[in-house]
Amino acid sequence: MLPEIIHDRAKMKPVSILFLLTILLRAVKADCPDEDEHLQQWIPGHNEAHRVRIGYDRKLLLTSSATVHSIRISDGGKLVIADRGQPVVLRTRHILIEKGGELHIGSEECPFKGNLSIILYGRSDDPEVAHSYFGHKYIGVGTGGTLEIHGEKKLSWTFLNKTLHPGETNEDSYHFEKSWGSRGVVVHVIDPETGEVLHSDRFDTYKSKDESRRLAQYVDVVEDGMILAMAVNDEGSNNLEDLARKALLKLGSRQFHRLGFRHPWSFITVKGDPFTSTEDHVAYQGTKASTEARSSKVFQSGYGEHFTVTASSQWVQEVEWTEWFDRDDERGSGDWEKLSDLQTAFPGKICASPLDIQAATYSGVDSNLTDEVFYKNDKDYGFVCLNKDQPDGICNNYKVRFLCGKLVRPQVTITIETHSNTTILELAEDGQTWKAGDTIVVTSTDYSMYQAEEFKILPCPACASNQIKVEGKAKYLHIGEEVDGVDMRAEVGLLTRNILIKGEMEAQCYGNDACKFFDFDTFGGHLKVEHGFKAIHIDGMEMKHMGQQLMGHYPIHFHMNGDVDEKGGYDPPTYVKGISIHHTFSRCVTVHGSNGLLVKDVVGYDSLGHCFFTEDGAEERNTFDHCLGLLVKAGTLLPSDRDSKMCRVITDGAFPGYVAKPRQDCSATSTFWIANPSNNLVNCAAAGSAETGFWFIFHHVPTGPSEGLYSPGHTEHMPLGQFFNNRAHSNYRAGMILDNGVKTTEANANDKRPFLSLIGARYGPHKDADPFKPREPAIIKHFIAYKNQDHGAWLRGGDVWLDDCQFADNGIGLTLASGGTFPDDDGSKQEVKNSLFVGESENRGMETPDNRIWGPGGPDLNGRMLPRGVDFPIRGMQIYDGPINVQNCTFRKFIALDGRHTSAFGFRLNNSWQSCPNNNVTDITFEDVPITSRVFFGEPGPWFNRMNMDGDKTTIFHDVDGSVSEYPGAFLVKDDNWLLRHPDCIDVPDWRAAICSGRYAQIYIQARNPANLDMKMIKDEYPEHPLSLVGALGKKNHYQQYQPVVTLQKGYTVHWDGAAPQELTVWLINYNRNDWIQVGFCYPKGTTFSIISDIHNRLTKQTHKTGIFLQTSQKDKLAHGHPHRGYYYWEEDTGLLFLRLTAQNEKDEFAFCSVKGCERIKIKAVIPKGSGPSDCTAQAYPRYAEMPIVDVPMPRKLSASKLHTKEHFLEARLESYNTRFFHIKDDFAYAEVNGKKLYQPEDGVQLTVIDGQYGKVLDSKGFRNSILLGIPAQIENYVASLKDESIVIITSKGHLVTKGPWTKILEKLGAEKNVKLKDKLVFVGFKGSYKPDWVKLITDDEAAKIHQVLPIPVVKKMKLR
């Protein structure tokens, strides 16, 4: 209608325009539901027995507070709350809205502006019969019901924009100070309410009587009640008249009329109240004595604030030290430096009466540090040291100096120090919708979620639009800025709204099982929505003391509503916006069997159990936008809600004999619990939970009332909804987890765990949730995770890709996991790119009495809160199984200590599972990360245990561009894994790693009958270095699986610590077509074999046979097999069954198996009974030992111009060895540094010296055996002459002198004491006050070799303790 009116306005008469304007105004008023003229005023009074029924088209307007038993609105009935300005409190047991009933509190166009409280009362043990669906103490919206709640629109939450320090007020104190040039009486007029200086002036009553009269006039016109602070500077009495003296007497002064020449005087009073005065006055003491008149008074202001005004008038004597004097020395009886003698010897340079004396040796050592005995050390006498008093009979030669006073100078100061019990908070957004009296909560920015703090807002007329004043001071540090590139600003959430729904609570817990865990009443109110409601829109509401420790009774619960947006016919779509839910007893917002709900601008604070909760696994298309959750504690309802104690005590639904494993079955309390990935989370913050911030969990089939909605496995393949710009901090377990499922079957004898306990699950997103359709990567964009004690994020699945994320101060920044054994979505990968990892930021937290983990850290080793143990190995990117891709990421401030193995890249501790050679790392930047802390592969000790699990031994990753190791294309492997090494591999001692080249793949060996054996695998090139594996599965499993990484195109043998398994299935993993290895499996003599090949499709779970293996008597024939017919060679005298394991099919880039499926070889063996252990090592070697060769040349080290940091690796290679040509024997030795060889020309030892700061070779010098056999002064003097921080590498040639004094040189350079030398020696040593990890000595009879990198510059690793 409005456009038509405007269009035709030229034709209208004035009367018509007024008429239409009246209609329009009425239409506008009609948008406010309480303006409906059809409403009937309702004043029910207060009667707890009054059961109210509003129906049959009755339309009521509640205009005053009321107490009733209950309210039922149905059959066209309507209740509207009047917005008349006065507060309304409605107290009832429940409100039921159904069958066309409506409850309206404001509207979207006309928000409710008054104050309304709906109080739900009742106890859990009330005798009243509970509603079969809604229970007790509820607001229930049934089928056909309408609920419209629209409070004032307020900023829901924002960020702190300036760091708040504990005890800080952010109030500026006032300080006025003058000296020479500001003579006379200084006056300040101060506002008694604010402490603000309103006016100030100076009156030179020394110079002029006019100034004296002006002073009297000035104080006379000051308004009564104002504070006056006054003080004299320099001189103020010379021209002081009686008029001024009388004016000051009237103000309350009792000393001003006695003011004399240069007398200090100070005075503070309240004009009009002389009894409030405080005053001080002292006489002038001359040019060489300090004097002060000081007055101070405290004034109270509003909201517990007070301020102190201080006035000071003084003559200040400053001091200075003389020059040093040395008149005598220690010869004779001692060193005499008497004051009188020095004053005579140096006239005019020492004051008559010094204030202090200081003595030091002539070289500058303070006398207190010499441990000598002094006869005199006195400012009035001087300094005397007597030789006879010293243990060695002689004093040092000492010098002395004296502290002398200077001439005094005048100084006047007036200060106002605010002692405020208030704080100014600076916000990131305009906070003007937050009003005085509102309550806010500021989140923790440390590891503990319990550092969140509540504050009450106070009036602040002087505050800027983005500032608020709050009552009280912070107890904890709350960050309000970006720290080391990571946004760590605390969230600030508003708890107060003008519409409040709350439960009326008892003083303590009573009469139910929850009292085993809580000492407070947990039977709050709740709001529940039934399927088929007509309309629900909630905005601008506060909920407090809501929720019950009962299933289905939550603060807000959408229960089995189906589609609640346009898809379900709701226009406008259903929403819950702009509300706070705090101090609740069961969750915050529950979305159960409902789709398309908008949950926006919701603050959930101090709740029990999962806060934002999706329940059955069938919920889709729901959006959580700009929601904040914090202080989320454990609850009792589901296993995943419970903490360890609850998990052990509550065993309902478990099978008899169940023994809880809390960290596996329970302990998953989360701020956002998302049971179906097809939901959206944007701009949300999980700011502290008992376990995890965001947890994506999987239901293999929908549970509860949603059972049957999806086929099995549907949610595990559902694409991820939008996950953008979310943040998680101050959580115990992790900022985010994408992993695990819940048990969807009831407990039984085979699985005794209760229904919905945590179990394993695997996620692989595909189009339409169909694993046979293309993959759809789950994109996690701009996620921030900091100060989470265990993980920033643990994400397991198929294609899970992170972009532009930030991780800081987490125990472990990020772990990307696939399937442990196989990626369940073969061909997928996990990826993180364009992201930042910070190990130990400048957000140090703060030490508090209950801090359990406080210790040194960061680049400066200052104290800080630590995520777990003091010695916990902090890691940025944790490599687990793979395949993963880490690209264009920056790592900052990862610094290992001696005793804490911090590293930018690390590996999962105590790992049984596989490690994929397709874990790729590229374009990595390190900032404030020592080169020694870039990577750590682990070593036996705390947290790493014995490093004897299979995955600990087989770790590997690919440094694609050399940005980690400086060797492009290299692989980093565990330094003692000789299945992957070759002669040119380079050790990195600080990383416990080796830099290698090669073509790598994996074999999985599955063993049955028996399945409890340890397996030993030997590479033919290194028989002296076997790899022992215990298997990835428990020893009680019906089969065992061993998962070594292998170098392709090499020979191996496999041995067992018992009789060999009767069945072996060998899987070829990460093989490309025609890749092969040759393996000899050890079996007892007399064993017979049946061997086939097949292909197993893990997606369709179908297997088909592809070929057989025939026995051959010619070992060479193994290389000439065909896809459908291979050969095996059984060598009974050694007990080795030889097979060539060759891949016949192509595979995709990141797939473990071929495009046709997983290629396998199955061996069935008939083994003679009573056979002993199948260990053929002694028979196999040296018979099958091979000369190690390098198939893939090592990459060239990056040039200095391509390195991004000043730190770099220095490659050093040392060899000392014999060669034989028939009967001719010769010796060789050389040291190679960065590709330049230095051959040792003569027998003996040769020392090559390298500058430890720059890596430059400084010198190379040989020492013959004849020198080593005698008194080794030459080599001792040579080493002594080297400067500290020098790298010294040593080679030997000829017959080494293995004993004698010269060997002490090795100890001085870091070798172990009493090392037993052999004929050949190579040694990398260090001259300095500490021993780096890379110091290494190798000695042998025939050949000794070291090939390793050294960090340049050499930096001492600081000790943890």
Side-chain angles (χ1 to χ4, degrees):
M1 180 185 291
L2 189 60
E4 295 175 4
I5 293 171
I6 295 171
H7 179 73
D8 295 333
R9 67 183 185 274
K11 303 176 183 179
M12 295 181 181
K13 296 179 180 180
V15 175
S16 301
I17 294 173
L18 288 172
F19 176 74
L20 289 169
L21 285 173
T22 302
I23 294 174
L24 285 172
L25 287 170
R26 286 179 180 174
V28 170
K29 273 193 169 183
D31 288 335
C32 296
D34 62 335
E35 298 291 339
D36 186 347
E37 59 189 23
H38 298 100
L39 292 173
Q40 176 185 353
Q41 186 175 14
W42 182 48
I43 306 176
H46 298 276
N47 184 354
E48 289 192 3
H50 185 188
R51 299 173 185 264
V52 178
R53 171 75 184 273
I54 304 173
Y56 307 107
D57 295 322
R58 288 184 66 200
K59 295 177 173 55
L60 302 182
L61 179 68
L62 180 64
T63 58
S64 63
S65 297
T67 299
V68 297
H69 176 278
S70 57
I71 300 174
R72 182 183 177 192
I73 310 171
S74 64
D75 301 309
K78 183 177 183 179
L79 175 61
V80 178
I81 309 299
D83 193 1
R84 298 289 189 262
Q86 71 271 24
V88 174
V89 178
L90 174 59
R91 190 168 167 270
T92 179
R93 289 181 176 273
H94 65 256
I95 301 174
L96 176 59
I97 312 160
E98 61 178 355
K99 300 176 182 177
E102 300 180 18
L103 173 59
H104 292 263
I105 307 168
S107 67
E108 189 164 358
E109 299 81 8
C110 182
F112 190 86
K113 293 181 174 58
N115 287 292
L116 168 68
S117 296
I118 298 176
I119 299 175
L120 301 171
Y121 68 91
R123 291 169 53 101
S124 62
D125 54 5
D126 280 344
E128 299 226 359
V129 177
H131 189 283
S132 60
Y133 187 80
F134 295 107
H136 286 295
K137 210 170 177 178
Y138 63 84
I139 295 176
V141 183
T143 302
T146 295
L147 178 62
E148 297 285 345
I149 300 178
H150 300 272
E152 286 185 313
K153 296 186 182 300
K154 294 194 171 191
L155 176 66
S156 175
W157 65 273
T158 183
F159 294 105
L160 192 65
N161 222 38
K162 182 180 179 182
T163 296
L164 178 60
H165 296 275
E168 181 183 23
T169 66
N170 291 338
E171 297 275 2
D172 293 328
S173 293
Y174 175 83
H175 184 90
F176 171 89
E177 181 177 311
K178 295 292 182 180
S179 183
W180 298 113
S182 296
R183 183 178 53 205
V185 180
V186 175
V187 182
H188 279 55
V189 181
I190 303 167
D191 187 325
E193 295 294 327
T194 65
E196 180 183 359
V197 175
L198 302 177
H199 191 266
S200 64
D201 207 339
R202 178 176 64 88
F203 304 88
D204 191 350
T205 52
Y206 169 82
K207 179 181 179 182
S208 167
K209 287 182 171 55
D210 290 340
E211 287 290 282
S212 180
R213 290 189 289 272
R214 194 170 69 86
L215 171 61
Q217 294 168 358
Y218 183 88
V219 299
D220 186 56
V221 299
V222 170
E223 184 181 346
D224 282 355
M226 294 296 107
I227 299 168
L228 285 164
M230 309 172 69
V232 168
N233 188 47
D234 191 352
E235 215 295 304
S237 66
N238 187 50
N239 278 297
L240 190 64
E241 291 187 326
D242 284 346
L243 186 65
R245 297 180 195 273
K246 290 178 181 179
L248 268 294
L249 179 65
K250 184 178 179 182
L251 290 174
S253 171
R254 297 294 180 266
Q255 303 291 331
F256 190 64
H257 69 283
R258 298 176 183 165
L259 197 63
F261 179 72
R262 287 192 166 181
H263 284 193
W265 171 82
S266 62
F267 177 64
I268 300 172
T269 190
V270 176
K271 176 76 179 293
D273 189 358
F275 298 104
T276 62
S277 302
T278 181
E279 186 176 20
D280 194 14
H281 169 236
V282 294
Y284 178 59
Q285 301 296 317
T287 61
K288 294 188 177 181
S290 296
T291 52
E292 180 182 16
R294 182 182 183 86
S295 300
S296 186
K297 190 170 181 64
V298 176
F299 296 90
Q300 300 294 328
S301 58
Y303 305 106
E305 298 180 7
H306 61 283
F307 58 90
T308 301
V309 179
T310 302
S312 171
S313 169
Q314 60 181 323
W315 289 96
V316 180
Q317 184 185 35
E318 295 175 336
V319 296
E320 63 182 351
W321 286 99
T322 66
E323 62 186 277
W324 289 97
F325 302 103
D326 180 23
R327 190 193 63 81
D328 192 19
D329 60 30
E330 72 278 13
R331 291 173 293 182
S333 63
D335 192 354
W336 294 75
E337 306 291 349
K338 292 174 62 178
L339 175 61
S340 58
D341 294 341
L342 291 168
Q343 287 172 329
T344 301
F346 304 99
K349 293 191 175 183
I350 304 173
C351 53
S353 301
L355 302 175
D356 199 1
I357 184 174
Q358 185 177 6
T361 66
Y362 194 77
S363 61
V365 178
D366 191 276
S367 60
N368 294 328
L369 302 178
T370 63
D371 294 330
E372 293 192 334
V373 179
F374 307 122
Y375 175 70
K376 286 284 187 181
N377 190 3
D378 182 83
K379 65 183 176 63
D380 299 318
Y381 184 86
F383 176 85
V384 179
C385 178
L386 298 177
N387 290 336
K388 66 183 180 64
D389 294 336
Q390 311 312 318
D392 58 357
I394 191 166
C395 294
N396 281 294
N397 183 22
Y398 287 93
K399 57 184 178 179
V400 295
R401 64 178 181 174
F402 298 90
L403 186 66
C404 291
K406 300 167 69 175
L407 295 179
V408 295
R409 63 174 179 83
Q411 179 175 295
V412 62
T413 58
I414 294 178
T415 62
I416 305 170
E417 184 178 356
T418 302
H419 303 280
S420 170
N421 192 33
T422 65
T423 306
I424 300 293
L425 304 186
E426 187 170 309
L427 309 176
E429 298 176 74
D430 189 326
Q432 292 184 92
T433 58
W434 296 1
K435 303 301 182 184
D438 288 351
T439 300
I440 62 164
V441 61
V442 181
T443 66
S444 169
T445 53
D446 208 340
Y447 294 106
S448 173
M449 68 177 179
Y450 293 99
Q451 290 187 15
E453 300 187 67
E454 293 181 41
F455 297 97
K456 183 179 179 180
I457 299 178
L458 300 175
C460 185
C463 285
S465 62
N466 70 325
Q467 292 179 323
I468 57 172
K469 178 184 282 189
V470 298
E471 186 174 6
K473 301 178 183 179
K475 296 179 182 178
Y476 304 104
L477 174 70
H478 300 275
I479 299 296
E481 59 195 283
E482 185 178 277
V483 182
D484 290 312
V486 178
D487 184 357
M488 295 192 189
R489 293 176 297 170
E491 295 82 9
V492 185
L494 180 67
L495 301 182
T496 307
R497 299 292 193 280
N498 65 315
I499 299 173
L500 169 65
I501 299 177
K502 74 173 185 176
E504 186 176 279
M505 309 307 295
E506 299 295 323
Q508 60 188 20
C509 193
Y510 60 91
N512 59 55
D513 288 342
C515 298
K516 297 176 183 177
F517 311 105
F518 311 108
D519 60 4
F520 49 86
D521 183 6
T522 59
F523 194 71
H526 68 106
L527 191 160
K528 189 173 184 178
V529 181
E530 188 180 16
H531 176 73
F533 66 87
K534 184 176 180 181
I536 293 181
H537 303 96
I538 301 174
D539 190 1
M541 180 179 73
E542 176 185 355
M543 305 185 86
K544 182 179 181 181
H545 294 160
M546 300 291 281
Q548 302 166 3
Q549 284 292 295
L550 297 171
M551 293 294 289
H553 297 174
Y554 315 123
I556 294 181
H557 183 192
F558 284 84
H559 184 251
M560 302 307 299
N561 303 119
D563 297 320
V564 299
D565 54 1
E566 295 93 335
K567 188 175 181 180
Y570 290 95
D571 187 16
T574 310
Y575 60 73
V576 175
K577 298 192 302 184
I579 71 171
S580 71
I581 307 171
H582 61 96
H583 299 90
T584 76
F585 309 119
S586 181
R587 316 207 186 290
C588 301
V589 178
T590 295
V591 182
H592 184 187
S594 304
N595 311 311
L597 178 67
L598 174 62
V599 182
K600 184 176 181 179
D601 294 326
V602 175
V603 175
Y605 165 57
D606 197 356
S607 66
L608 302 180
H610 309 304
C611 185
F612 298 94
F613 177 64
T614 59
E615 190 158 343
D616 283 350
E619 298 82 15
E620 294 185 5
R621 296 184 295 100
N622 301 291
T623 296
F624 298 89
D625 184 1
H626 199 250
C627 294
L628 166 65
L630 67 150
L631 203 62
V632 179
K633 307 169 188 174
T636 64
L637 297 186
L638 297 177
S640 56
D641 287 312
R642 298 169 190 155
D643 61 21
S644 295
K645 178 183 177 182
M646 297 169 185
C647 191
R648 293 188 181 96
V649 173
I650 304 171
T651 57
D652 299 345
F655 197 80
Y658 167 71
V659 177
K661 297 178 180 177
R663 297 307 295 173
Q664 297 179 27
D665 304 345
C666 308
S667 300
T669 310
S670 301
T671 306
F672 294 86
W673 181 264
I674 309 300
N676 186 314
S678 184
N679 290 286
N680 304 307
L681 290 100
V682 292
N683 308 315
C684 291
S689 78
E691 293 293 339
T692 298
F694 300 89
W695 198 319
F696 285 86
I697 198 82
F698 301 97
H699 292 235
H700 188 62
V701 294
T703 54
S706 302
E707 184 177 354
L709 288 180
Y710 292 148
S711 59
H714 184 85
T715 60
E716 287 110 316
H717 298 295
M718 180 74 74
L720 185 70
Q722 191 177 8
F723 191 91
F724 173 74
N725 200 36
N726 299 302
R727 49 198 285 121
H729 59 89
S730 311
N731 299 289
Y732 175 71
R733 179 181 289 199
M736 179 180 179
I737 293 178
L738 192 155
D739 196 4
N740 298 103
V742 292
K743 186 170 180 280
T744 57
T745 57
E746 298 294 336
N748 55 63
N750 293 326
D751 188 343
K752 298 179 180 180
R753 292 172 294 180
F755 181 60
L756 297 180
S757 295
L758 259 66
I759 60 171
R762 297 294 183 265
Y763 179 54
H766 283 253
K767 182 178 175 58
D768 300 328
D770 185 345
F772 292 94
K773 290 184 177 181
R775 287 187 290 271
E776 286 195 5
I779 305 297
I780 296 168
K781 179 87 170 179
H782 194 58
F783 175 60
I784 299 173
Y786 71 91
K787 296 291 184 185
N788 299 290
Q789 290 188 51
D790 193 351
H791 266 82
W794 168 284
L795 309 175
R796 187 196 295 274
D799 284 305
V800 179
W801 297 357
L802 295 90
D803 187 13
D804 188 28
C805 297
Q806 299 173 356
F807 301 90
D809 295 331
N810 305 290
I812 301 163
L814 173 65
T815 296
L816 296 175
S818 58
T821 301
F822 294 95
D824 281 66
D825 193 3
D826 196 23
S828 64
K829 72 175 187 297
Q830 292 83 51
E831 177 178 88
V832 56
K833 62 181 182 180
N834 309 320
S835 296
L836 172 64
F837 295 81
V838 180
E840 293 175 297
S841 79
E842 290 304 306
N843 177 3
R844 301 177 179 279
M846 60 174 286
E847 188 172 14
T848 61
D850 60 346
N851 277 354
R852 293 170 296 170
I853 311 170
W854 179 268
D860 54 11
L861 292 182
N862 283 338
R864 64 183 299 115
M865 276 296 293
L866 296 164
R868 297 183 66 178
V870 173
D871 56 354
F872 180 76
I874 297 168
R875 282 147 285 166
M877 180 69 215
Q878 177 172 263
I879 297 174
Y880 181 12
D881 41 21
I884 66 168
N885 182 47
V886 184
Q887 181 179 350
N888 192 34
C889 292
T890 297
F891 291 81
R892 186 173 291 156
K893 292 188 175 178
F894 290 87
I895 301 172
L897 304 180
D898 185 357
R900 183 194 300 153
H901 296 296
T902 298
S903 60
F905 287 90
F907 298 86
R908 185 156 188 238
L909 308 181
N910 309 304
N911 176 25
S912 299
W913 302 102
Q914 62 92 14
S915 184
C916 175
N918 283 338
N919 289 328
N920 297 320
V921 174
T922 184
D923 197 12
I924 304 301
T925 300
F926 297 99
E927 298 174 358
D928 288 327
V929 179
I931 197 168
T932 54
S933 300
R934 290 183 180 181
V935 182
F936 192 69
F937 274 71
E939 67 176 8
W943 301 100
F944 296 90
N945 294 327
R946 291 181 293 173
M947 289 290 292
N948 62 349
M949 302 183 79
D950 292 3
D952 298 332
K953 301 175 182 180
T954 60
T955 45
I956 182 174
F957 72 89
H958 187 197
D959 185 10
V960 176
D961 64 345
S963 54
V964 176
S965 67
E966 302 180 2
Y967 290 82
F971 287 84
L972 291 171
V973 304
K974 188 78 170 61
D975 57 2
D976 58 358
N977 185 355
W978 293 85
L979 298 192
L980 308 181
R981 296 190 58 139
H982 59 64
D984 287 351
C985 288
I986 307 169
D987 286 318
V988 191
D990 290 289
W991 299 355
R992 311 304 189 263
I995 302 169
C996 293
S997 59
R999 296 180 58 239
Y1000 300 109
Q1002 298 159 273
I1003 59 171
Y1004 292 173
I1005 300 175
Q1006 289 180 348
R1008 293 174 172 81
N1009 302 320
N1012 61 352
L1013 301 179
D1014 291 351
M1015 187 188 90
K1016 180 171 68 177
M1017 190 169 188
I1018 300 173
K1019 188 178 182 181
D1020 291 343
E1021 293 179 338
Y1022 294 105
E1024 69 278 16
H1025 296 295
L1027 179 68
S1028 296
L1029 302 175
V1030 299
L1033 310 176
K1035 293 295 187 181
K1036 295 182 179 179
N1037 207 57
H1038 69 283
Y1039 75 95
Q1040 190 55 263
Q1041 185 158 297
Y1042 313 88
Q1043 303 170 146
V1045 182
V1046 295
T1047 306
L1048 292 167
Q1049 273 76 299
K1050 299 290 183 180
Y1052 304 85
T1053 58
V1054 171
H1055 312 267
W1056 311 92
D1057 66 344
Q1062 297 177 34
E1063 295 183 37
L1064 290 181
T1065 302
V1066 183
W1067 301 61
L1068 307 187
I1069 304 299
N1070 278 303
Y1071 276 60
N1072 288 299
R1073 185 178 182 184
N1074 295 324
D1075 286 344
W1076 62 270
I1077 62 171
Q1078 186 163 294
V1079 183
F1081 295 94
C1082 182
Y1083 285 95
K1085 292 183 179 180
T1087 302
T1088 58
F1089 305 96
S1090 172
I1091 306 174
I1092 66 165
S1093 61
D1094 66 21
I1095 286 182
H1096 176 70
N1097 189 308
R1098 298 185 64 250
L1099 185 58
T1100 64
K1101 304 198 182 325
Q1102 295 179 341
T1103 303
H1104 66 272
K1105 180 177 176 182
T1106 57
I1108 61 171
F1109 284 78
L1110 304 176
Q1111 185 171 4
T1112 178
S1113 59
Q1114 301 175 36
K1115 188 165 177 281
D1116 292 345
K1117 200 170 183 180
L1118 296 178
H1120 301 291
H1122 302 283
H1124 302 295
R1125 185 184 66 199
Y1127 297 97
Y1128 70 87
Y1129 177 72
W1130 169 232
E1131 191 173 66
E1132 192 142 4
D1133 59 336
T1134 61
L1136 292 172
L1137 170 71
F1138 286 97
L1139 292 167
R1140 178 164 290 208
L1141 309 178
T1142 305
Q1144 307 295 338
N1145 299 288
E1146 302 288 350
K1147 80 172 187 71
D1148 292 333
E1149 182 180 6
F1150 292 103
F1152 272 35
C1153 297
S1154 78
V1155 292
K1156 294 184 178 180
C1158 297
E1159 299 185 50
R1160 310 187 301 184
I1161 293 90
K1162 290 186 173 181
I1163 305 170
K1164 289 189 176 182
V1166 180
I1167 298 174
K1169 291 184 179 180
S1171 297
S1174 299
D1175 188 339
C1176 307
T1177 307
Q1179 293 76 32
Y1181 303 104
R1183 180 171 181 173
Y1184 288 113
E1186 297 182 3
M1187 178 70 70
I1189 59 172
V1190 180
D1191 292 329
V1192 178
M1194 283 290 291
R1196 292 177 61 86
K1197 187 175 181 294
L1198 288 172
S1199 63
S1201 63
K1202 294 183 179 180
L1203 300 178
H1204 301 299
T1205 64
K1206 293 181 180 179
E1207 290 186 293
H1208 63 278
F1209 277 138
L1210 180 79
E1211 184 179 343
R1213 184 169 187 154
L1214 295 72
E1215 285 199 70
S1216 175
Y1217 57 96
N1218 295 324
T1219 61
R1220 294 180 182 273
F1221 185 74
F1222 295 101
H1223 62 283
I1224 301 172
K1225 180 180 177 181
D1226 204 354
D1227 289 309
F1228 288 92
Y1230 69 88
E1232 182 179 341
V1233 180
N1234 270 354
K1236 183 178 180 180
K1237 284 188 176 179
L1238 302 169
Y1239 286 97
Q1240 181 174 342
E1242 298 178 320
D1243 287 359
V1245 296
Q1246 180 160 303
L1247 279 65
T1248 301
V1249 182
I1250 303 167
D1251 186 322
Q1253 288 300 305
Y1254 302 102
K1256 182 179 179 181
V1257 176
L1258 301 176
D1259 192 23
S1260 186
K1261 185 173 180 64
F1263 297 90
R1264 297 181 181 179
N1265 283 336
S1266 58
I1267 294 174
L1268 304 182
L1269 285 167
I1271 299 174
Q1274 288 188 30
I1275 189 170
E1276 288 177 348
N1277 292 337
Y1278 180 77
V1279 172
S1281 70
L1282 301 178
K1283 68 176 184 179
D1284 278 357
E1285 310 288 308
S1286 293
I1287 301 167
V1288 183
I1289 59 179
I1290 301 177
T1291 57
S1292 73
K1293 184 178 180 183
H1295 293 290
L1296 179 67
V1297 178
T1298 59
K1299 296 181 180 179
W1302 89 269
T1303 60
K1304 296 296 182 182
I1305 295 297
L1306 301 177
E1307 294 178 17
K1308 291 180 180 180
L1309 297 175
E1312 299 294 331
K1313 290 185 177 180
N1314 303 317
V1315 63
K1316 293 183 179 180
L1317 299 179
K1318 298 180 181 180
D1319 201 40
K1320 301 298 177 189
L1321 165 76
V1322 290
F1323 177 51
V1324 178
F1326 178 72
K1327 186 185 179 188
S1329 59
Y1330 57 96
K1331 179 182 176 181
D1333 287 347
W1334 42 259
V1335 169
K1336 187 175 185 179
L1337 185 149
I1338 300 293
T1339 184
D1340 195 80
D1341 291 326
E1342 296 292 331
K1345 174 184 174 182
I1346 292 176
H1347 191 188
Q1348 67 183 49
V1349 290
L1350 311 174
I1352 301 296
V1354 179
V1355 177
K1356 181 180 181 180
K1357 188 182 291 184
M1358 302 304 293
K1359 283 188 175 294
L1360 176 59
R1361 295 181 178 90

